[in-house]
Amino acid sequence: MNKKMVKTAGLTALSAVMLMTGCAKINPNETLVTINTGDAKDTISLGYGNFAARYQQSMYDQYLLSYYGEDMWKSDMSGSGSTLEADTKDGVLEEMESQYLTKLHAGDYKIELSKDQKNDIAKAAKKFISDNNKKSLEAMGATEEYVKEYLEYRTYYSLVSAAAKEEADADIKDEDCWMRTFTYVLFDTTGKKDEEGNVTEYTDDEITELKTQAKELSTSEDFDAKVEELGLTTQNYSYLKGESEDNTMDMSIISEAEKLKEGEQSGVIVVDGVGFYVIKLTSDHDEDASQTKRESLQSEAFDKLLDEWKEAITWKVNDKAWEKVKFDSLFKAPETEESKEDTTATESTEETEAE
């Protein structure tokens, strides 16, 4: 299991940097973060922080550049008034702190990397360096030591978070994650949308027809068959058994679901300003949804623990140093043999067509 976790913490190779706009020069030995754990003081270098940020940038570049263009890092993608570059760098700092804390508390769970794990990390770091060209490595500020440190932190995070969640699971009761699931049809009465997104209100007759269909479905002997006959669309929803509030589904629907046994369907449920619902309880105890809920509670417990660990230390970022980390060059994925063959095939086709 541990070896697998090391492998999942591997890094993706890149090809040459493109669109160089003048890489900012930084002093890798400058202190980026100063940490006081109460028992000792520690630091994280700007060189390491720069690599962590630029590697994260490179991952986004491979998947997002084709959609958002070369100016995406200067754009306010979240609508928060902050650029994507600033948001990403903030996220990198948060990850660095969480990873540092999990390594710091690894001893609480008797976790220590084995010789084999360290060897795996060293091999992965060496491979990353050899798989990338000099131009890419310089743009990322990547060194073998930084890559090893990065993989080590990520591996500790995986191991410690898993152990902490397993420990938290002992306090989670079955009733805390008992999820029931129903299938529902919504007869939306808010209006009809055209291709341009314009909404036209339903007439009284049209709303009456929707209500008639809802009544037919609610009184049908075969819910699924009637749905198909009427050409309706169903959706599934899971909720915690006995819950008194729900952030997504109207509580009047949850209340009706609570009255149903598995396989039973409801009458017509009217939700003002939305429409008519008819639901069928498909599972009194949805094991998959319950497991998802359990994992969510485990994650919440781990997040709370991380917050407690953060409160116990002083984590001070050198903002002026961090400003020197800039996404001033873009990265692209390496061209594989398959993509080269596709390009050649396309070129051959174009030549044939031209002839």
Side-chain angles (χ1 to χ4, degrees), residues 20 24 37 51 55-56 75 93 98 146 156 190 200-201 214 249 253 272 279 286 292 295 299 320 343 345 351:
M20 299 295 291
T37 65
F51 166 69
Y55 180 73
Q56 183 66 63
S75 304
L93 281 176
S98 296
Y146 287 154
Y156 269 115
T190 58
T200 303
E201 290 187 4
M249 186 64 66
I253 300 170
D272 292 339
I279 69 175
D286 188 324
T292 298
E295 291 170 2
S299 294
K320 288 186 177 180
T343 301
E351 289 173 3

Side-chain angles (χ1 to χ4, degrees), residues 11 36 38-39 67 120 159 247 249 258-259 297 299 328:
L11 304 182
N36 188 334
D39 297 324
Y67 294 101
D120 285 345
L159 296 172
N247 294 327
M249 186 64 66
E258 283 286 88
K259 300 175 185 177
L297 294 175
S299 294
D328 50 9

Side-chain angles (χ1 to χ4, degrees), residues 3-227:
K3 285 189 176 181
K4 183 179 179 182
M5 288 187 175
V6 172
K7 289 179 181 177
T8 58
L11 304 182
T12 303
L14 305 168
S15 66
V17 176
M18 65 176 181
L19 196 68
M20 299 295 291
T21 58
C23 291
K25 298 293 183 182
I26 67 170
N27 175 9
N29 297 318
E30 187 175 359
T31 297
L32 172 61
V33 184
T34 302
I35 307 131
N36 188 334
T37 65
D39 297 324
K41 291 185 178 181
D42 200 358
T43 60
I44 294 176
S45 71
L46 179 59
Y48 175 78
N50 176 65
F51 166 69
R54 296 307 303 277
Y55 180 73
Q56 183 66 63
Q57 179 220 334
S58 74
M59 291 295 96
Y60 286 165
D61 281 352
Q62 292 182 67
Y63 299 107
L64 300 181
L65 273 179
S66 60
Y67 294 101
Y68 299 109
E70 296 170 356
D71 291 329
M72 70 177 191
W73 292 109
K74 300 175 184 178
S75 304
D76 178 9
M77 306 285 280
S78 63
S80 63
S82 179
T83 64
L84 180 60
E85 178 185 290
D87 289 340
T88 301
K89 286 173 61 180
D90 286 345
V92 168
L93 281 176
E94 290 178 11
E95 286 182 0
M96 284 170 56
E97 184 176 9
S98 296
Q99 290 167 356
Y100 180 90
L101 286 165
T102 52
K103 182 179 179 181
L104 182 67
H105 287 272
D108 299 351
Y109 302 92
K110 298 180 181 179
I111 291 174
E112 185 176 355
L113 298 188
S114 67
K115 183 177 179 180
D116 286 345
Q117 287 174 315
K118 291 179 180 178
N119 285 339
D120 285 345
I121 287 174
K123 288 177 183 177
K126 191 177 292 292
K127 186 176 188 302
F128 180 79
I129 296 298
S130 66
D131 282 350
N132 288 284
N133 60 45
K134 184 178 179 181
K135 197 175 183 182
S136 293
L137 296 172
E138 287 179 350
M140 275 188 287
T143 68
E144 197 168 322
E145 285 305 308
Y146 287 154
V147 177
K148 283 170 62 177
E149 187 177 5
Y150 185 77
L151 289 173
E152 184 176 291
Y153 271 128
R154 290 178 65 176
T155 304
Y156 269 115
Y157 183 89
S158 294
L159 296 172
V160 173
S161 62
K165 290 174 184 178
E166 184 177 348
E167 186 177 87
D169 188 67
D171 295 325
I172 300 175
K173 301 184 178 79
D174 286 344
E175 55 264 34
D176 297 330
C177 50
W178 186 300
M179 301 296 287
R180 306 177 94 224
T181 297
F182 58 81
T183 295
Y184 70 90
V185 174
L186 167 60
F187 298 84
D188 189 340
T189 59
T190 58
K192 296 176 288 187
K193 281 187 180 180
D194 60 23
E195 293 181 355
E196 284 75 36
N198 300 314
V199 179
T200 303
E201 290 187 4
Y202 283 117
T203 64
D204 290 342
D205 288 343
E206 287 173 323
I207 291 178
T208 298
E209 175 59 24
L210 289 173
K211 191 170 186 178
T212 298
Q213 288 189 356
K215 183 67 174 178
E216 279 186 55
L217 180 60
S218 70
T219 56
S220 65
E221 294 184 1
D222 189 328
F223 182 91
D224 296 325
K226 179 59 71 171
V227 164

